[in-house]
């Protein structure tokens, strides 16, 4: 999409509600209290037959210093500069406030195309505010109701010439290239390689103030996400697409996750819920720890959550640049990792500095290794030879004097690897023996750290007709009886 629209305005005028309306999903957090949105969030907008990129921004603040509000304003101004047009939203029910006049003047100077929208304009209560909007000098205000979808047709009519002009400019400037079509067979057995159309989905998670946004900014090479010394700055799970050392990826910056008992604020609950959804949709989860206080209880819960969701996991220890005795600290970290997270035994553990960028190449390689293992498939023949060896080395238990027999094994899925074992009395198999098989799979088939799913089934699970009484089909009975009469 070649056209970008930035939605700007004071806090709590309905920008995120309008953003969600345009993208057709509840991507942005919405709440009655002002200042919920802090970072820039991009989305693919659909308005009739128009397709374009829309950016949700933080509420324009009058602060210009290095405070949190000042840094939020700088991000919003950056969105104004990079967008083809700005949709300046005011609250029609509140009318034009002095801050609206200040920001209208800023937009006149910084944006080539400004569309004035009076939101919450349903009903007569908004009439006075709509009339006041003419005084901003930005032309006729567009009456909208982002919550109820009113005014979307008029917005589409205003945007159409702008979108079509941007598309025409893109076509004129695009170089003519020949595309080679490879008609060879695809290897379905191999892992799906990240492409520009389907980039590798990576969620960066951790406790507040671990440095998640700073890390992603360093990977991007620009200050795209809001950062600072305050804990809990990030609220939405913000995604950014980029080419990371030759790998197309989509990085998700998530809100810091604290203990559930400490979360009282409604917005923080929404933020944590957004982070959890990012984990579920990710392919690789980077659990970011603070080198000064690694493997806190909440870190362990977050890593365990990623494993239970079946994601590939990489543990990254941040703020390594300020660590004095690095060798001793690294040894301590590895020992704690093996002891506290046995379910992720062998998962990559890398040290990084989000501030200086040291270790980001190792993090990139670790993510690709974890992704490759997550997609690994083991052929059935070597899998069953391995199973026979495991049974011979350590036979399964014999509850009530009858030994459980492991007959056959196959890999049912990848992402994460899932295996099915056909056996007798699967319900009597102890968890310790299942762990024995899972650990053996990790060691024998080079699958460190990735979640492995093992399912035990009896042969009756595969044959739905086993317990049915044998009977002759009615059609066959008629045929037999007919011949007997003859």
């Amino acid at each position: 999409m070649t056209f970008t629209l930035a939605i700007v305005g004071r806090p709590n005028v309905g920008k995120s509600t309008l953003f969600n309306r345009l993208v057709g999903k509840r991507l942005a957090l919405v709440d009655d209290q002002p200042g919920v949105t802090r970072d820039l969030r991009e989305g693919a907008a659909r308005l009739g037959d128009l397709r374009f990129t829309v950016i949700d921004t933080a509420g324009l603040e009058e602060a210009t210093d290095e405070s949190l509000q000042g840094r939020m304003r700088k991000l919003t101004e950056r969105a104004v500069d990079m967008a083809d047009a700005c949709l300046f939203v005011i609250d029609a029910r509140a009318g034009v406030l002095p801050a609206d006049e200040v920001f209208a003047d800023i937009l006149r100077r910084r944006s080539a195309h400004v569309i004035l929208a009076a939101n919450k304009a349903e009903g007569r209560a908004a009439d006075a505010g709509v009339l006041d909007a003419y005084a901003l000098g930005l032309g006729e205000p567009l009456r909208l109701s982002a919550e109820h979808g009113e005014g979307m047709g008029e917005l589409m009519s205003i945007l159409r010439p702008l979108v079509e002009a941007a598309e025409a400019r893109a076509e004129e400037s695009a170089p003519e290239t020949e595309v080679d079509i490879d008609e060879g067979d695809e290897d379905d057995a191999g892992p799906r390689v990240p492409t520009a159309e389907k980039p590798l989905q990576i969620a960066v998670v951790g406790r507040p103030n671990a440095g998640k946004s700073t890390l992603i900014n360093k990977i991007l090479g620009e200050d795209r996400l809001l950062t600072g010394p305050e804990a809990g700055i990030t609220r939405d799970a913000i995604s950014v697409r980029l080419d990371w050392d030759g790998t197309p990826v989509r990085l998700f910056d998530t809100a810091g996750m604290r203990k559930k008992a400490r979360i009282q604020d409604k917005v923080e609950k929404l933020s944590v819920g957004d982070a959890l959804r990012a984990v579920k949709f990710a392919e690789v989860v980077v659990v970011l720890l603070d080198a000064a206080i690694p493997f806190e209880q909440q870190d362990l819960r977050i890593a365990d959550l990623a494993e239970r969701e079946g994601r590939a996991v990489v543990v990254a220890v941040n703020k390594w640049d300020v660590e004095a005795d690095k060798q001793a600290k690294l040894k301590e970290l590895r020992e704690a990792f093996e002891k506290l997270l046995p379910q992720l035994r062998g998962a990559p553990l890398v040290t990084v500095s989000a501030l200086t960028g040291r270790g980001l190449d190792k993090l990139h390689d670790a993510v690709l290794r974890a992704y490759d293992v997550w997609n690994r498939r083991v052929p059935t023949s070597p899998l069953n030879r391995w199973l026979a060896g495991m049974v011979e080395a350590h036979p399964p238990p014999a509850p009530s004097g009858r030994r459980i027999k492991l007959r056959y094994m196959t890999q049912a899925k990848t992402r994460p690897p899932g295996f099915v074992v056909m056996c007798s009395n699967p319900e009597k198999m102890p968890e310790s023996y299942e762990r024995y098989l899972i650990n053996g799979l990790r060691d024998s088939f080079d699958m460190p750290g990735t979640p492995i799913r093992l399912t035990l089934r009896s042969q009756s699970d595969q044959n739905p007709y086993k317990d049915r009484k044998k009977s002759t089909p009615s059609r066959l009975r008629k045929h037999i009886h007919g011949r007997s009469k003859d």
Side-chain angles (χ1 to χ4, degrees):
M1 286 173 282
T2 56
F3 180 81
T4 302
L5 177 71
I7 305 175
V8 297
R10 289 187 296 103
N12 216 28
V13 295
K15 298 183 300 298
S16 294
T17 303
L18 181 56
F19 174 87
N20 288 340
R21 171 74 60 180
L22 292 174
V23 299
K25 301 175 185 177
R26 287 182 60 87
L27 290 182
L29 297 183
V30 176
D31 193 69
D32 291 336
Q33 63 175 285
V36 173
T37 302
R38 289 177 173 174
D39 281 289
L40 306 182
R41 179 191 280 276
E42 293 185 8
R46 287 179 160 220
L47 198 54
D49 60 339
L50 297 183
R51 303 291 182 270
F52 54 94
T53 299
V54 62
I55 304 176
D56 186 24
T57 66
L60 280 165
E61 302 279 356
E62 294 189 69
T64 57
D65 55 11
E66 288 303 314
S67 65
L68 177 59
Q69 288 73 21
R71 300 197 303 274
M72 289 164 58
R73 171 169 171 160
K74 288 180 181 178
L75 272 182
T76 299
E77 290 177 344
R78 184 175 168 220
V80 170
D81 294 338
M82 63 189 284
D84 296 296
C86 290
L87 186 61
F88 180 35
V89 182
I90 67 166
D91 185 339
R93 294 179 178 269
V96 175
L97 301 185
D100 293 319
E101 297 174 353
V102 173
F103 301 137
D105 184 59
I106 293 173
L107 292 175
R108 267 194 298 269
R109 289 184 280 107
R110 301 188 73 139
S111 178
H113 299 283
V114 181
I115 303 167
L116 177 60
N119 191 32
K120 308 179 186 179
E122 65 276 14
R124 294 183 178 179
D127 290 347
V130 173
L131 291 174
D132 288 345
Y134 281 94
L136 293 173
L138 295 173
E140 182 179 355
L142 171 66
R143 294 186 70 132
L144 286 180
S145 173
E147 186 173 355
H148 299 99
E150 297 177 9
M152 294 298 111
E154 291 80 355
L155 178 59
M156 181 175 65
S157 299
I158 296 172
L159 289 176
R160 182 178 299 281
L162 300 176
V163 174
E164 292 176 349
E167 291 173 347
R169 289 193 299 271
E171 289 179 4
E172 291 175 2
S173 60
E176 294 184 4
T177 57
E178 294 183 0
V179 179
D180 294 328
I181 300 176
D182 184 7
E183 296 182 352
D185 294 334
E186 293 184 0
D187 183 10
D188 293 334
R192 188 186 73 181
V193 178
T195 64
E197 292 76 27
K198 292 185 178 179
L200 176 57
Q201 312 274 341
I202 306 171
V204 182
V205 300
R207 288 182 289 112
N209 225 22
K212 300 179 291 296
S213 299
T214 305
L215 176 70
I216 294 178
N217 279 342
K218 184 59 71 172
I219 294 173
L220 285 167
E222 57 180 328
D223 292 334
R224 169 68 172 73
L225 301 171
L226 190 65
T227 61
E230 305 91 345
I233 289 178
T234 302
R235 286 177 169 173
D236 294 78
I238 304 297
S239 69
V240 291
R241 294 183 64 158
L242 72 148
D243 186 282
W244 185 12
D245 291 346
T247 305
V249 301
R250 181 188 290 273
L251 284 170
F252 289 86
D253 183 26
T254 62
M257 291 188 259
R258 299 193 297 161
K259 292 181 180 179
K260 191 173 182 180
R262 294 182 181 178
I263 300 175
Q264 303 296 330
D265 183 67
K266 178 184 175 183
V267 173
E268 186 175 357
K269 290 180 181 179
L270 293 172
S271 301
V272 171
D274 212 25
L276 295 177
R277 282 191 294 275
V279 170
K280 292 179 181 179
F281 285 106
E283 295 169 312
V284 179
V285 173
V286 176
V287 181
L288 196 63
L289 312 181
D290 187 331
I293 44 173
F295 295 115
E296 293 278 292
Q297 280 296 319
Q298 188 63 0
D299 294 324
L300 302 179
R301 291 191 184 96
I302 294 169
D304 184 63
L305 166 69
E307 193 278 337
R308 284 188 283 109
E309 289 294 337
R311 307 300 95 184
V313 177
V314 174
V315 176
V317 183
N318 190 27
K319 306 180 184 179
W320 198 244
D321 53 306
V322 298
E323 189 60 44
D325 192 349
K326 291 181 170 55
Q327 291 298 324
K329 186 68 172 184
L330 185 59
K331 181 181 178 182
E332 177 187 332
L333 287 171
R334 294 191 186 282
E335 291 176 353
F337 188 19
E338 292 288 329
K339 178 182 178 182
L340 299 173
L341 291 169
Q343 68 273 39
L344 291 172
R345 184 166 64 92
L349 174 68
V350 295
T351 57
V352 299
S353 170
L355 193 63
T356 67
R358 293 288 297 273
L360 294 190
D361 53 341
K362 295 179 181 178
L363 178 61
H364 172 266
D365 294 342
V367 166
L368 291 187
R369 285 200 311 273
Y371 178 75
D372 181 63
V373 173
W374 193 60
N375 282 276
R376 188 152 298 169
R377 182 173 289 279
V378 182
T380 301
S381 295
L383 193 58
N384 280 281
R385 288 195 296 270
W386 168 85
L387 179 63
M390 294 291 285
V391 170
E392 183 178 354
H394 183 46
S400 303
R402 299 183 62 182
R403 188 168 301 282
I404 298 175
K405 295 181 180 179
L406 305 184
R407 297 187 174 91
Y408 179 78
M409 186 174 188
T410 187
Q411 184 171 355
K413 63 182 287 291
T414 59
R415 305 163 61 86
F419 301 87
V420 176
V421 179
M422 306 303 298
C423 65
S424 61
N425 303 315
E427 70 282 354
K428 296 182 180 180
M429 182 71 79
E431 290 185 9
S432 58
Y433 200 84
E434 291 185 37
R435 286 196 299 271
Y436 164 69
L437 294 176
I438 290 175
N439 290 334
L441 285 168
R442 291 192 195 282
D443 296 336
S444 300
F445 297 105
D446 192 23
M447 293 190 289
T450 196
I452 293 178
R453 303 295 184 246
L454 187 67
T455 304
L456 303 177
R457 290 182 183 170
S458 65
Q459 285 188 323
S460 60
D461 294 339
Q462 296 294 104
N463 185 2
Y465 301 102
K466 181 178 179 182
D467 296 328
R468 292 192 180 184
K469 293 182 179 180
K470 293 183 179 179
S471 60
T472 306
S474 58
R475 188 176 299 174
L476 183 58
R477 284 201 304 271
K478 290 180 181 178
H479 177 69
I480 294 172
H481 294 158
R483 292 185 61 184
S484 64
K485 289 180 182 179
D486 295 340

